[in-house]
Amino acid sequence: MRYAYYPGCSLKSVAVEYDAALKAVCEKLGVTLDEIDDWACCGATPAHAVDRFLSVALPARNLATAQKAGNDVMVACAACYNRMKVANHEIATDGALRKEVNEALGTDYDGGVKVLHLIEVLVNGIGIDKLKERVTKRLDGLKVACYYGCLLLRPPKVMHFDDPENPTSMDRLIEVTGAVPISWEFKTECCGAAMGIARTDIVHKLCGRILSDAKNRGAEMIAVACPLCQSNLDLRQSDVEKDLSREFRLPVLYFVQVLGLALGIDAKSLGLDKLIVDPIPLLTQKGVI
Amino acid sequence: MARIGVFVCHCGENIAATVDVKKVAEEASKMPGVVHAEDYRFMCSDPGQRLIKKAIAEKKLTGVVVATCSPRMHETTFRRAVAEAGLNPYRCEIANLREQCSWVHADRTKATAKAIELTRLIVEKVKRNHDLFPIRVPVTRRALVVGGGIAGIQAALDIANAGHEVILVEKSPSIGGRMAQLSETFPTLDCSQCILTPRMVEVKSHPKIKLYAYSEIEEVSGFVGNFKVKIRQKARYVDAKKCTGCGLCQQKCPTKKVPSEFHELLGTRTAISIPFAQAVPNIPVIDRNSCLFFQKGRCKLCEKVCPAGAILYDQQDQIVEEQVGAVILATGFDVMGVEDFGEYGGGRYKDVITALQFERLLSSSGPTGGKVLRPSDGKEAESVVFLSCIGSRDRSKGVEYCSKICCMYVAKHAMLYKHKNHHGQAYVFYMDVRAAGKGYEEFIRRAVEEEGVVYLRGRVSRIYEQDGKLIVKGADSLSGTQVEIAADIVVLATAVKPKPGIAELAQKFHVSYDAHGFLNELHPKLRPVETASAGVYLAGACQAPKDIPDSVAQASAAASKVLALFSSAELEREPTISVVNEKDCVGCFACEAVCPFGAIERKEVRDKQGNLVKIVSHVNPGICQGCGACVVACRSQCIDVEGFRGEEVFAEIMAL
Amino acid sequence: MDVLNLGTKAAEDFIREVEKLSGQKLANCYQCHKCTAGCPAAYTMDLGPGRIMRLVQLGQEERVLTSNTIWVCASCLTCTTRCPQEIDVARVMDTLRILARKKGFKGDKDVPIFNEVFLANLRAHGRIFEPTMLAWYNLKSRHFLKDALKGPVMFFRGKLPMFPHEVREKASIERLFSKAEGGEKK
């Protein structure tokens, strides 16, 4: 299996562990990733808040390159995934915009490149049963709250990713490892996303709700699929604890790091040391490490 | 030799203001074959009609052209006048100078020229018309009513009380429909079963009503006045002739936890059961899927205890054939389920229920004996939130219409809950309150002003469970705020929709239905109970969401149409139907394939010795609607529509 | 309390402008406020999405474009996902943000600065170089000490690069930005 890989800016900086973990897991499973040549930032949230053309042209630039290379694109960052699928949709349905974008880029892009999230590649491409066979270290008894956030799922008519109100694809991946994906009510509630810098107070409030619900329902760890969600829930956790006068101590791992542990990959390769809320004590206690 | 009379109408100013009617009459008098031409202010009036009759008598007219408004307005009027003067009415035709000329054009010169042309065309046609006589079809004066809810019951009683036999077919084990499931009805808060069951008993004991319960329509053939219907009587595995309705089998049945359809799956029933105590007929049904005998070959306890020996495990479905002259479809409605609403749990939360389910909780014959208890843990509900417009008025769920009954029943539910639980809190999230019926607005005001129900204007975005309560995240647009409520039960007023399988049933009767499955009436304003299929009528919620008063009214209306049909032993039909030229017909039956009404039959042509010469098409004069699809399909040009024959229409076109 | 002036040319123009740019039929909104009900940031908004839609329907340009609502919106798309009339409310919010910036209306102070700083950084390198992006943000927003402690924490865990990565074909990025700046954009 081969994919054109689009890391996105965060996976080279604040989310390096996501990149490291997914590369380790892909190598183990025989998935080849070719990083898209000379890729640029997708524009994330600021682009679509400032200019529609820009917000579509930036992802399109990368997709046009991928189309020439020929393979489907795999993305791990939920925000980049969302922007790329939206760009595809806009270009495919708005003829005037398509013309404008192609003129500016000097390309002939039609919005047709298939963009897949890492979760889709693992669940649909490789398959739950095959993954189960490859598990060498079970994470029995570990209670994980799978947090999907917003951009993986919405708007459902464009994203076509799982059930937008009650998704289960990440839960199934966590289940493969032997860990228990708990049932909880804030799976798809926004963490505050791009407000992280400009209105950190909002992120505190929203993450407070998420962390509280997860903890109330017995979660020992939170699994995420988005660098922004990870950073909001992890980096800001201590501040939220202060706001709510409550201890959470919930490590926030990328789901692929959890999967990597079950596949027998070591903690260092998975970048577990890069997480702010230290997962090692919990994992040691559970006999994983 | 043709002797045509042309009568040009001013229609007051409607035609005369734009068309020079005097000129039209003048030009008409010059047209070949026209021996009389005049104009008059209002041709449809008595004096106007008298002019036509006078001209027919004096000038011995062989055809009449009235150049006036649309034939849909007065064709019948003029044909009657012409018939009274002794001329065959089908020799009278209309040239439409109003809807097709004066009302759509402004230029007087051009409009007048067009009016003259239109008249010329019809003159040419009428010259080729021949006498036609109404077709008489015998009528079987028995009616079929499909559906035993309140609409079907009302229609059946109305027809039976007028002296005609009625076959009433009901799909479920008992008649009564939705009304039997209701606790009380708005706006009177009458006990639903108390006002319904006397009607049900009337049906049971009426000498003119033949009830087929637990039965379905298998096949339909025929036409208005002469339908043949095959009815499948499903096997109850109980001998209806022997069963006394004592209920012992139900008492003793060991399989007690089957989810009950009557309780909308909130309560349970036994494998052999009667849906509710007042069921008509009061004969149980064995549900094969949950019966120990049918599934595992054990038990047979009901057979052992039945004092009448009425259990028949080897009973088979039976097909019965009935002949009727008219049909009323009254199949009722269903509601959307909670599974369709992911944001409200999609069925994961036991305490988020539909309004019909809540109705069962309220009902004293329901699974909780009329107490409002949480389905999840049986605790008393201290706070109940009602959500209106769930699915209805919602493009994203594919239902853009309003379900009409919910605003009223939500108020009813909130009030009944408060009556049972004085300290309970009732909240209603609404978008608009629609309470247009008699006494309806007062009912709503009572809920708000006297019963303390809190109405919040806004929709709820999502519901989730926390610490044993349901957290309802809504909004109140009037105060411009978000609203959060911790509820014990949330009741969703889900959209009304037609019953499943309605498409197949409608197709059996050649009745059309809309994109949602609601059966189509012939005209939304003026013909609400008729369908495009002669002899088939509609009543109740199968046509559109409807409350009980309207369903009952519509049922009586449908019954009156049936009684009009039955008012004579023969049915008179317009003769403008297709006719086959059997000499030329080659029996390819292309016409049969395209006829939307199933009016083409196959007819054998035999010689004097009785040998088969060929099989040709034959048009059933009782069914054919004269649409002409067969004429288009026929490759041999041997089928034609009377009154619109090829010869006549061609002459019209060539006259242009 | 506001008194609204309706039917003015300015109001009509604003409505048409928002409709055209957002591609959404504003009359379809029947004000059910399901968007408001599910909005995670509404607790800190002055108006909320439902009332914004209403005021846009009534052409109240200034009220809408000076609200803090449009800036505090997290683009979580819950409103769009649940709207029964299938209106892309989030897209309307984007449109209002674009118009506010273009026409110089001031609402929230910090979010527009973040957007600006982010895009300038993108334009300069082709990818985001967090150290300078965050530093510029602190400067421009005058929150000089914001996340001052978090910076080193991230750096020492190897989560903040020391040098930016420059996209090779930077001219292609520059072309996009120039085009976005000049002329009437969708």
Side-chain angles (χ1 to χ4, degrees):
Chain A
M1 293 176 73
R2 200 178 194 109
Y3 294 96
Y5 175 48
Y6 180 80
C9 307
S10 339
L11 266 73
K12 300 291 190 189
S13 59
V14 297
V16 280
E17 65 270 36
Y18 199 3
D19 184 66
L22 77 87
K23 282 197 171 126
V25 168
C26 282
E27 201 194 307
K28 200 147 190 117
L29 296 173
V31 178
T32 312
L33 301 174
D34 302 312
E35 209 169 290
I36 295 178
D37 179 51
D38 202 33
W39 60 268
C41 178
C42 72
T45 305
H48 69 73
V50 168
D51 188 86
R52 182 176 174 238
F53 163 79
L54 192 64
S55 74
V56 171
L58 283 167
R61 183 183 168 283
N62 304 306
L63 292 169
T65 312
Q67 188 167 55
K68 282 204 198 80
N71 283 319
D72 292 344
V73 172
M74 189 199 80
V75 198
C77 167
C80 304
Y81 175 60
N82 186 288
R83 288 318 304 162
M84 289 188 147
K85 285 193 96 153
V86 170
N88 272 350
H89 183 255
E90 297 289 288
I91 287 177
T93 54
D94 185 340
L97 181 64
R98 172 180 167 167
K99 194 160 165 277
E100 227 185 311
V101 167
N102 279 317
E103 251 167 35
L105 289 174
T107 51
D108 194 19
Y109 186 57
D110 61 359
V113 170
K114 205 152 153 208
V115 176
L116 297 166
H117 190 268
L118 174 60
I119 294 179
E120 289 176 295
V121 168
L122 291 168
V123 175
N124 299 334
I126 296 181
I128 295 290
D129 292 328
K130 278 238 173 60
L131 288 170
K132 275 206 181 109
E133 285 167 21
R134 307 294 304 265
V135 169
T136 54
K137 181 152 207 86
R138 287 182 63 85
L139 310 179
D140 291 313
L142 178 64
K143 298 217 198 68
V144 180
C146 293
Y147 177 66
Y148 295 76
C150 313
L151 300 177
L152 272 183
L153 312 159
R154 301 192 279 267
K157 289 206 180 108
V158 172
M159 302 309 289
H160 295 299
F161 179 91
D162 213 337
D163 179 339
E165 298 289 354
N166 187 30
T168 50
S169 44
M170 204 198 304
D171 295 65
R172 292 169 69 199
L173 287 173
I174 295 298
E175 225 170 27
V176 160
T177 70
V180 177
I182 63 160
S183 177
W184 64 307
E185 299 288 9
F186 276 69
K187 272 183 170 176
T188 63
E189 295 291 301
C190 185
C191 68
M195 293 288 134
I197 304 297
R199 286 293 301 264
T200 321
D201 62 307
I202 295 179
V203 166
H204 284 190
K205 178 96 177 194
L206 269 46
C207 287
R209 294 178 190 161
I210 295 164
L211 292 163
S212 298
D213 194 71
K215 191 84 180 175
N216 289 345
R217 294 180 202 265
E220 295 169 314
M221 175 192 284
I222 298 185
V224 297
C226 168
L228 218 37
C229 299
Q230 200 282 336
S231 133
N232 284 343
L233 288 165
D234 187 25
L235 181 65
R236 310 260 174 220
Q237 198 175 123
S238 55
D239 295 324
V240 176
E241 285 177 332
K242 279 198 206 80
D243 284 350
L244 297 178
S245 306
R246 181 184 179 176
E247 197 182 60
F248 291 115
R249 273 217 263 173
L250 284 169
V252 182
L253 272 70
Y254 291 103
F255 73 94
V256 69
Q257 290 175 308
V258 183
L259 186 61
L261 285 169
L263 295 177
I265 303 172
D266 63 287
K268 190 91 197 331
S269 305
L270 294 172
L272 290 188
D273 56 332
K274 303 227 183 277
L275 304 171
I276 307 297
V277 176
D278 193 2
I280 305 297
L282 174 67
L283 292 170
T284 315
Q285 188 220 338
K286 293 284 172 182
V288 178
I289 293 179
Chain B
M1 204 48 241
R3 298 177 62 78
I4 309 296
V6 177
F7 302 85
V8 187
C9 185
H10 294 222
C11 197
E13 286 302 300
N14 277 307
I15 297 178
T18 317
V19 171
D20 183 348
V21 289
K22 289 212 180 295
K23 181 137 188 255
V24 175
E26 196 191 306
E27 289 303 308
S29 66
K30 297 182 201 150
M31 293 174 192
V34 175
V35 302
H36 177 97
E38 64 178 309
D39 63 277
Y40 186 68
R41 222 164 135 63
F42 292 107
M43 282 309 308
C44 56
S45 64
D46 281 345
Q49 292 180 49
R50 253 177 269 136
L51 287 174
I52 299 177
K53 291 184 199 176
K54 187 158 163 260
I56 291 173
E58 284 178 6
K59 301 267 178 94
K60 307 247 184 297
L61 299 180
T62 60
V64 165
V65 174
V66 189
T68 177
C69 54
S70 162
R72 290 183 82 100
M73 303 297 296
H74 284 300
E75 185 176 68
T76 321
T77 315
F78 293 121
R79 282 192 171 162
R80 201 178 301 129
V82 159
E84 281 167 12
L87 183 62
N88 186 287
Y90 294 91
R91 289 181 181 268
C92 168
E93 294 266 8
I94 308 292
N96 186 347
L97 298 192
R98 193 180 73 173
E99 282 84 344
Q100 289 183 355
C101 193
S102 70
W103 270 4
V104 295
H105 299 301
D107 184 314
R108 195 175 167 80
T109 320
K110 288 188 182 163
T112 306
K114 177 172 171 177
I116 294 168
E117 286 308 298
L118 287 173
T119 311
R120 191 197 312 281
L121 299 191
I122 303 300
V123 166
E124 285 306 309
K125 180 177 193 291
V126 166
K127 279 201 252 184
R128 287 150 181 92
N129 279 14
H130 55 203
D131 289 355
L132 293 174
F133 300 93
I135 296 164
R136 294 207 147 74
V137 171
V139 175
T140 306
R141 290 194 273 189
R142 291 166 97 225
L144 169 69
V145 176
V146 181
I150 188 61
I153 288 171
Q154 181 65 47
L157 286 172
D158 283 344
I159 298 172
N161 286 336
H164 301 290
E165 205 173 45
V166 177
I167 316 286
L168 178 56
V169 175
E170 164 57 48
K171 190 173 182 175
S172 61
S174 164
I175 57 172
R178 293 289 176 206
M179 253 190 102
Q181 288 180 296
L182 303 184
S183 165
E184 275 109 321
T185 58
F186 59 77
T188 50
L189 293 186
D190 275 313
C191 153
S192 186
Q193 289 217 358
C194 307
I195 55 177
L196 172 68
T197 45
R199 296 285 175 99
M200 287 168 60
V201 170
E202 233 188 296
V203 165
K204 181 166 90 159
S205 50
H206 204 295
K208 291 266 178 195
I209 298 181
K210 200 166 173 190
L211 173 60
Y212 288 106
Y214 204 51
S215 302
E216 291 184 47
I217 303 293
E218 182 84 358
E219 205 184 286
V220 180
S221 62
F223 53 98
V224 58
N226 298 275
F227 292 107
K228 268 208 203 65
V229 186
K230 286 207 179 106
I231 299 166
R232 174 182 291 272
Q233 275 190 294
K234 298 182 284 192
R236 290 180 186 252
Y237 307 109
V238 175
D239 188 340
K241 293 196 193 66
K242 293 190 179 154
C243 175
T244 59
C246 71
L248 211 52
C249 51
Q250 197 173 226
Q251 266 179 50
K252 300 293 184 190
C253 177
T255 310
K256 294 192 190 296
K257 297 268 189 224
V258 184
S260 158
E261 296 83 350
F262 186 70
H263 291 318
E264 293 292 311
L265 309 184
L266 271 194
T268 56
R269 59 164 170 78
T270 42
I272 183 169
S273 65
I274 293 169
F276 53 98
Q278 302 84 351
V280 166
N282 199 1
I283 302 167
V285 169
I286 297 182
D287 165 25
R288 284 183 78 107
N289 294 332
S290 49
C291 169
L292 280 174
F293 171 69
F294 281 107
Q295 292 300 308
K296 301 204 174 121
R298 310 199 303 261
C299 189
K300 284 191 155 190
L301 204 53
C302 48
E303 188 181 45
K304 293 195 192 94
V305 304
C306 175
I311 305 293
L312 284 176
Y313 296 115
D314 55 3
Q315 191 179 60
Q316 302 291 319
D317 286 357
Q318 267 204 307
I319 307 286
V320 178
E321 202 173 283
E322 293 281 3
Q323 300 208 6
V324 295
V327 179
I328 297 183
L329 300 175
T331 51
F333 69 96
D334 217 352
V335 293
M336 278 176 89
V338 296
E339 327 69 63
D340 297 322
F341 304 95
E343 66 267 46
Y344 303 140
R348 281 175 293 136
Y349 307 131
K350 284 210 165 71
D351 297 326
V352 176
I353 57 179
T354 64
L356 255 181
Q357 288 178 314
F358 192 68
E359 197 78 47
R360 294 313 303 145
L361 288 183
L362 289 170
S363 173
S364 49
S365 65
T368 56
K371 289 215 184 97
V372 181
L373 304 176
R374 286 155 48 104
S376 61
D377 56 14
K379 290 211 185 86
E380 259 201 35
E382 296 302 317
S383 129
V384 181
V385 176
F386 301 88
L387 269 48
S388 308
C389 296
I390 301 305
S392 310
R393 304 179 63 189
D394 193 330
R395 262 185 198 143
S396 70
K397 300 279 190 263
V399 175
E400 68 285 349
Y401 57 83
C402 164
S403 290
K404 197 164 183 185
I405 56 177
C406 334
C407 284
M408 285 303 290
Y409 73 56
V410 164
K412 176 188 81 171
H413 284 174
M415 280 200 275
L416 290 174
Y417 165 66
K418 295 280 275 183
H419 292 175
K420 289 173 191 282
N421 191 334
H422 297 296
H423 304 291
Q425 289 280 64
Y427 301 96
V428 175
F429 280 97
Y430 73 100
M431 285 216 288
D432 299 285
V433 176
R434 294 171 171 188
K438 189 164 178 176
Y440 284 20
E441 173 65 17
E442 297 88 320
F443 187 75
I444 303 286
R445 292 316 305 162
R446 178 177 155 192
V448 176
E449 291 170 14
E450 284 165 47
E451 310 272 4
V453 177
V454 176
Y455 270 69
L456 300 156
R457 199 214 164 261
R459 271 194 145 152
V460 167
S461 184
R462 85 166 183 135
I463 300 172
Y464 62 94
E465 243 173 12
Q466 192 176 79
D467 299 329
K469 290 272 198 187
L470 292 166
I471 307 298
V472 177
K473 306 264 308 170
D476 178 48
S477 68
L478 299 177
S479 60
T481 56
Q482 282 183 323
V483 172
E484 194 175 289
I485 304 177
D488 284 311
I489 296 178
V490 177
V491 184
L492 306 180
T494 55
V496 166
K497 55 180 192 176
K499 284 254 169 74
I502 196 68
E504 288 75 33
L505 184 71
Q507 283 167 24
K508 287 189 175 129
F509 287 100
H510 297 296
V511 170
S512 64
Y513 44 93
D514 67 15
H516 299 285
F518 288 111
L519 302 177
N520 284 342
E521 65 291 314
L522 189 53
H523 187 279
K525 296 290 252 195
L526 297 180
R527 299 170 93 140
V529 295
E530 296 160 87
T531 66
S533 241
V536 182
Y537 306 95
L538 303 174
C542 61
Q543 181 243 352
K546 203 167 281 116
D547 56 25
I548 294 166
D550 285 348
S551 296
V552 171
Q554 218 186 26
S556 290
S560 80
K561 298 289 179 196
V562 170
L563 294 173
L565 184 62
F566 290 179
S567 61
S568 72
E570 274 187 333
L571 182 62
E572 218 178 75
R573 297 195 73 224
E574 287 266 331
T576 47
I577 58 166
S578 291
V579 168
V580 178
N581 176 346
E582 292 181 5
K583 178 167 82 63
D584 294 338
C585 175
V586 301
C588 75
F589 300 108
C591 50
E592 188 184 43
V594 301
C595 177
F597 304 99
I600 303 287
E601 292 163 356
R602 298 189 178 208
K603 181 175 164 185
E604 290 176 351
V605 175
R606 292 185 179 274
D607 65 17
K608 282 215 187 82
Q609 280 75 39
N611 299 318
L612 184 65
V613 174
K614 61 176 175 175
I615 302 181
V616 297
S617 263
H618 174 76
V619 177
N620 185 321
I623 307 180
C624 176
Q625 303 286 325
C627 74
C630 51
V631 178
V632 172
C634 180
R635 304 177 298 200
S636 325
Q637 277 196 300
C638 62
I639 191 167
D640 220 346
V641 180
E642 287 286 16
F644 297 93
R645 291 177 303 144
E647 189 193 327
E648 297 162 20
V649 178
F650 197 60
E652 254 189 86
I653 296 169
M654 292 309 289
L656 249 187
Chain C
M1 167 166 277
D2 290 335
V3 176
L4 300 184
N5 284 318
L6 300 180
T8 61
K9 184 165 185 309
E12 292 300 315
D13 286 346
F14 179 61
I15 298 168
R16 298 288 92 77
E17 190 174 25
V18 174
E19 272 194 340
K20 184 157 177 277
L21 284 176
S22 67
Q24 304 302 305
K25 195 140 172 269
L26 296 172
N28 286 9
C29 171
Y30 51 27
Q31 287 292 298
C32 74
H33 282 224
K34 194 166 179 180
C35 49
T36 303
C39 175
Y43 77 94
T44 189
M45 288 177 173
D46 51 1
L47 293 170
R51 286 173 73 191
I52 288 276
M53 286 299 295
R54 184 61 180 152
L55 290 166
V56 173
Q57 280 179 330
L58 298 175
Q60 303 302 303
E61 182 173 33
E62 187 173 331
R63 187 76 178 84
V64 168
L65 297 185
T66 54
S67 72
N68 89 332
T69 297
I70 62 177
W71 296 111
V72 164
C73 160
S75 298
C76 78
L77 293 166
T78 302
C79 48
T80 298
T81 302
R82 296 201 181 132
C83 176
Q85 290 290 75
E86 298 184 318
I87 298 173
D88 192 343
V89 183
R91 172 103 184 253
V92 175
M93 287 290 166
D94 263 342
T95 303
L96 297 174
R97 285 187 277 264
I98 291 169
L99 286 174
R101 178 178 169 269
K102 231 200 304 201
K103 299 187 181 198
F105 284 93
K106 301 278 177 236
D108 181 272
K109 179 179 139 288
D110 295 328
V111 176
I113 291 175
F114 175 74
N115 290 345
E116 195 196 305
V117 164
F118 182 99
L119 290 174
N121 195 282
L122 205 179
R123 189 175 191 169
H125 305 293
R127 295 183 195 172
I128 297 299
F129 180 57
E130 279 84 356
T132 50
M133 198 247 311
L134 297 169
W136 271 116
Y137 173 76
N138 281 15
L139 257 171
K140 292 212 152 168
S141 66
R142 298 188 189 289
H143 297 303
F144 301 112
L145 295 176
K146 186 170 193 320
D147 286 335
L149 296 171
K150 300 261 194 259
V153 171
M154 300 286 272
F155 181 74
F156 286 115
R157 277 184 206 246
K159 295 227 233 189
L160 284 181
M162 285 228 277
F163 303 102
H165 175 282
E166 303 293 332
V167 158
R168 205 177 60 232
E169 304 284 332
K170 228 192 282 182
S172 63
I173 307 286
E174 181 56 38
R175 253 201 321 273
L176 299 181
F177 275 88
S178 305
K179 182 153 171 131
E181 272 173 347
E184 193 58 19
K185 275 297 141 311
K186 286 205 181 68

